[in-house]
Amino acid sequence: PDYETYGRFVPVSRESKDPLYTFAGWYYDQACTKAADAYDRVTSNLTLYAKWLDPCYVQFYTLYGNAPDSQLVKLNGLVTEPAAPSADGCYFRGWYRDRDCTQKWDFAADTVSADLTLYARWEKEVYIGIDPHNGEGAGFFSGITGELVNPSSIPHYTNGDLVIEGYYTDSAYTDRFDLDSDLVTEGLSLHIRW
């Protein structure tokens, strides 16, 4: 800092040589425990120490495929959105701040306040068993976990003049599967009721 003749100091530039570090004030001690104030009186020569906050370390956890490179992000800064990862048989659905993938990360608005791990959410392509109960034998079709069944992907079955009453997850027809609201899960098998 520079000194004024009447005994108060004026701090010099707060710009860091590394833009990832955040200036956090001037201190009288190297450990930066006793903060200096611009209105403190100066009675002799002294050295002040700048306190800098480290950047935050952001890593990406993918489970499948290759993870993007980790990033150093300035405190309260935005994370740069990496290219979407890819993996065979899986569909990438975004980055989340929690392992259960319930809190989606918004790269345009969410800021980093500490070291952070972002988790990739995936949905898998699975085979769904289907039993038409019409003498043709069981078959299967593909779906994506966490999404609705695409009606056009269901094989077309007939049973004389009968029409399909609905799809069920059990052969006793007690648990109806609603194509408009029920989501695909691993191991799903459907039974057609006529």
Side-chain angles (χ1 to χ4, degrees), residues 32-68:
C32 296
T33 60
K34 186 175 180 196
D37 186 278
Y39 294 99
D40 290 346
R41 291 201 63 73
V42 176
T43 57
S44 63
N45 291 337
L46 62 104
T47 300
L48 294 176
Y49 301 89
K51 180 176 182 178
W52 297 97
L53 301 178
D54 292 337
C56 301
Y57 180 73
V58 179
Q59 62 183 346
F60 300 91
Y61 180 78
T62 59
L63 186 61
Y64 305 110
N66 293 325

Side-chain angles (χ1 to χ4, degrees), residues 12 19 28 30 36 53 82 86 91 93-95 102-103 142 149-150 152-153 159 161 169 171:
V12 294
Y28 289 113
Q30 252 182 320
L53 301 178
S86 61
Y91 297 88
R93 295 298 187 232
W95 294 104
T102 61
Q103 303 171 41
S142 65
V149 168
N150 179 353
S152 66
S153 67
N159 192 358
D161 292 335
T169 61
S171 60

Side-chain angles (χ1 to χ4, degrees), residues 105-127:
W105 185 264
D106 183 345
F107 287 92
D110 291 336
T111 58
V112 179
S113 58
D115 290 347
L116 173 72
T117 299
L118 292 177
Y119 299 89
R121 179 178 166 210
W122 298 95
E123 290 167 354
K124 292 170 62 177
E125 184 173 19
V126 294
Y127 290 107

Side-chain angles (χ1 to χ4, degrees), residues 6 10 31 150 156:
Y6 52 84
V10 179
N150 179 353
H156 180 72

